[in-house]
Amino acid sequence: MLNVCEVLGTEYPIIQGAMARIADAQLAAAVSEGGGLGIIASGGETAEWLRGQIAKARSLTQKPFGVNLMLLAPNIDELVDVVCEEKVHVVTTGAGNPGKYMARLKEAGVKVIPVVASVALAVRMEREGADAVVAEGTEAGGHIGEITTMALTPQVVDAVSIPVLCAGGVADGRGVAAAFMLGAKGVQVGTRFLSAYECGVAQAYKDAILAAKDTSTTATGRSTGHPVRCLRNKLTRKVLKLEATGGSEDEINELCTGTLAAAVRDGDVQNGSVMSGQVAGLVKKEQPAAEIIRELFSEGAKIYEDRADICLKSNK
Ligand code: TUI
């Protein structure tokens, strides 16, 4: 079995989470330059935009980077065409089953790493030729599953032979060490990169993440079967109220239309959708993406060594 760094073509076993409308060529190239796998998020974007961002990332770094395909995107077939034509190094997928596209991606030489929220999908993805999977717990930001990272990761690790990366709740060295303790061979980190200098999200969005605490997020959309984790604000209160009073899926979708762009681009952190993981409370400062990666792994390795006392009976 190849190790995660060989699959990703990176120095560190880390993938940057695909944050829709946020993760562009600038952030992806900075993460790749820092030794991780940067990801351009194509969800909500056009095929032309994606092609342009791939070209821009190639002008900013010689290192490999990836593209995330959000499988609920209405233009998903066109986006798949672009990543195949451009022979992107790695594709991560989210919010669905990429089985339908697997053969085409593999034929084009693209490595496929589906993000899964269940053992069943992980097993299926391995059978269909995935190179690795990301097991993402419900602590993550954006579109989420139901199972926690702590419960999901070891169950996925036991069920597949391909490398497993762990996502949802990883924002510092302790999270990295914990991921490895659960059997993961790498991590996917999203929320922590929102505070990267190279992340072009509106400053008010960054400030909301930096000000967040443990209880700051909530999940809307459970009533429609598409739960999404965001920072609590005026919008989430409205959506949750509508859901509690039997609002239809159409009404909920209408209330949410355009809200991600409002938060990301305009910095409207009250009426916009401020997607974030539960670890926002661990994100304390803005810093370069490369420094975030170095910190995650230097702290993670130190904890891994220090906690050798875990097996001592005295456990002082
Ligand atoms: O995909 C994500 N996170 C995302 S996508 C996104 S874009 C968006 N924008 C506005 C509204 C909604 C979404 C924001 N965040 N994470 C990976 C992930 N995939 N989490 C959970 C899943 C998942 C869930 C169900 C994967 C597969 C699945 O079922 C497929 C099946 O057939 O079993």
Side-chain angles (χ1 to χ4, degrees):
M1 180 169 78
L2 286 177
N3 76 34
V4 166
C5 290
E6 284 167 331
V7 175
L8 305 181
T10 58
E11 187 184 341
Y12 296 99
I14 179 171
I15 302 179
Q16 166 233 314
M19 297 169 285
R21 313 228 68 155
I22 297 175
D24 59 4
Q26 182 178 288
L27 179 61
V31 169
S32 290
E33 277 294 295
L37 189 77
I39 297 285
I40 299 169
S42 68
E45 311 287 358
T46 65
E48 294 69 41
W49 179 91
L50 178 58
R51 212 184 282 281
Q53 291 295 308
I54 292 169
K56 185 171 176 194
R58 285 186 172 142
S59 76
L60 294 171
T61 182
Q62 308 264 46
K63 301 202 170 152
F65 60 88
V67 167
N68 176 265
L69 297 171
M70 207 281 273
L71 297 162
L72 294 171
N75 59 343
I76 183 70
D77 288 297
E78 285 174 49
L79 298 170
V80 173
D81 287 344
V82 173
V83 296
C84 289
E85 284 160 22
E86 296 291 337
K87 301 199 184 307
V88 168
H89 185 63
V90 169
V91 152
T92 61
T93 65
N97 176 353
K100 192 174 148 193
Y101 305 106
M102 197 73 95
R104 256 170 78 205
L105 290 164
K106 304 239 55 163
E107 240 164 67
V110 178
K111 291 190 173 136
V112 184
I113 306 183
V115 178
V116 302
S118 69
V119 166
L121 189 58
V123 168
R124 232 173 127 173
M125 293 299 95
E126 176 176 44
R127 208 166 50 224
E128 294 178 18
D131 295 278
V133 288
V134 175
E136 185 186 274
T138 193
E139 297 93 321
H143 183 82
I144 49 171
E146 290 291 340
I147 310 169
T148 61
T149 301
M150 181 88 125
L152 179 66
T153 308
Q155 294 187 70
V156 172
V157 166
D158 283 350
V160 299
S161 306
I162 51 178
V164 177
L165 295 96
C166 170
V170 182
D172 65 14
R174 292 167 295 187
V176 171
F180 280 79
M181 290 293 181
L182 295 174
K185 300 286 192 237
V187 292
Q188 179 188 271
V189 171
T191 302
R192 175 84 187 261
F193 285 115
L194 286 168
S195 71
Y197 286 143
E198 300 89 346
C199 177
V201 76
Q203 189 61 40
Y205 195 127
K206 278 190 190 184
D207 291 343
I209 297 293
L210 293 169
K213 54 182 185 169
D214 55 344
T215 54
S216 292
T217 73
T218 189
T220 57
R222 289 203 196 278
S223 69
T224 67
H226 296 299
V228 174
R229 183 176 303 286
C230 298
L231 293 187
R232 285 175 207 279
N233 61 7
K234 218 165 168 180
L235 174 67
T236 62
R237 281 192 290 277
K238 265 198 217 165
V239 177
L240 289 171
K241 194 167 169 198
L242 183 58
E243 290 191 84
T245 52
S248 69
E249 188 163 355
D250 283 350
E251 284 174 298
I252 293 162
N253 287 343
E254 198 187 319
L255 195 54
C256 294
T257 302
T259 55
L260 185 54
V264 170
R265 204 187 47 209
D266 310 333
D268 186 347
V269 296
Q270 274 310 319
N271 303 294
S273 183
V274 187
M275 292 188 187
S276 165
Q278 288 184 327
V279 283
L282 287 172
V283 181
K284 302 281 198 263
K285 62 173 192 275
E286 292 185 60
Q287 57 190 145
E291 190 178 293
I292 292 175
I293 296 170
R294 278 196 306 274
E295 255 180 48
L296 286 169
F297 286 92
S298 61
E299 285 173 8
K302 183 159 189 324
I303 290 160
Y304 205 82
E305 283 162 21
D306 289 355
R307 294 294 155 94
D309 64 353
I310 202 166
C311 55
L312 293 180
K313 282 201 183 104
S314 61
N315 202 14
K316 289 193 183 112

